[in-house]
Amino acid sequence: MSTCDIAKVCTSYKSNPWLTSNGSLGFMGFSGVCWTLAYFLYIRGSYIQGEYRGVPAAALFINLSWEFMFATLYTKSWTPQRVVNIVWFVVDFIQLAQFCYYEVYVKTKTGKYPAFQKLLMGIWNFLLFVTMWAFLIGFVDTFQDNDGVYIAFGQNLMMSMIFFHQIVEKPAKFGDLWVVLLPGVFRLLGTSFGASIAFLARADNTIFLMILYISIFVFDFLFVLSSFYLYWFPLAKAETIEKDDSEGLVQK
């Protein structure tokens, strides 16, 4: 799911002396704490604001699939990482419950949607979940990604890209400290330290993995920079709100 889970790959490369040092454990621990804080802030934000503000649906669905598979199907022995995967599954399941409540139940009950559109919303979310699950199984089997590192960083990149696209589309909603800026900072830090662990642990770092590492960092950095600007410069935030309102009036 998140890059903190990439620490699992380190168990396959214990021949690297750096991996047994306190420094590597510190990197893994710090990455895990950062991602934990980010997700709990998303859960808190959704609860307080009364709308879903967590991980985007596509990334959330594939996260849940990854965590379930690498906590059960691809991991037989009880290792610390397996416990972490189970904990992450529980955390993301809470976000899934919030998504179902705010994005599905509340919107269909309070929103003025035609019956056919409500049906399409249900079909869309169901197919999205099934597709993400099928994609994960197919990717791991086809490319023999048995430690999950490629798919983990791939879904991390998808999450980062969607978050940045959201701030581009609706900047007025992304000037919040606790729901946007701080989780973004924690995701950036978690990714950076997680990628460092994966890079130092693997003996077969490919160009594709390097592209994933760098791309995730770029999108997360741009997200943090943009949300920082929107938070600290209220005039810029007010301008975006005014622009969004004026565009809505024009459309009406």
Side-chain angles (χ1 to χ4, degrees), residues 111-238:
K112 297 180 180 179
Y113 299 107
F116 181 67
Q117 187 175 1
K118 293 180 181 179
L119 176 63
L120 289 180
M121 292 171 64
I123 294 175
W124 160 254
N125 288 311
F126 175 76
L127 287 179
L128 187 61
F129 180 80
V130 173
T131 301
M132 291 297 100
W133 177 269
F135 172 79
L136 178 65
I137 296 176
F139 186 94
V140 172
D141 179 71
T142 301
F143 297 99
Q144 296 299 302
D145 186 25
N146 295 322
D147 55 14
V149 66
Y150 282 91
I151 193 65
F153 276 109
Q155 65 197 40
N156 196 334
L157 176 58
M158 177 175 64
M159 183 193 306
S160 300
M161 293 174 69
I162 297 175
F163 266 123
F164 185 65
H165 179 262
Q166 289 178 343
I167 205 172
V168 170
E169 288 290 306
K170 297 182 179 179
K173 295 186 65 175
F174 287 85
D176 189 284
L177 175 65
W178 293 97
V179 181
V180 180
L181 180 56
L182 286 182
V185 171
F186 288 134
R187 285 193 299 109
L188 175 63
L189 293 174
T191 297
S192 300
F193 280 83
S196 299
I197 286 291
F199 175 75
L200 293 169
R202 294 186 69 89
D204 59 342
N205 279 288
T206 62
I207 294 178
F208 183 56
L209 275 178
M210 297 302 297
I211 292 173
L212 290 177
Y213 301 155
I214 296 172
S215 299
I216 295 169
F217 178 83
V218 169
F219 279 103
D220 283 347
F221 180 78
L222 289 175
F223 179 90
V224 170
L225 191 64
S226 302
S227 58
F228 178 85
Y229 180 83
L230 291 170
Y231 175 73
W232 287 104
F233 295 94
L235 289 178
K237 184 178 178 181

Side-chain angles (χ1 to χ4, degrees), residues 105-114 118:
Y105 177 78
V106 173
K107 282 190 174 182
T108 55
K109 289 294 182 181
T110 61
K112 297 180 180 179
Y113 299 107
K118 293 180 181 179

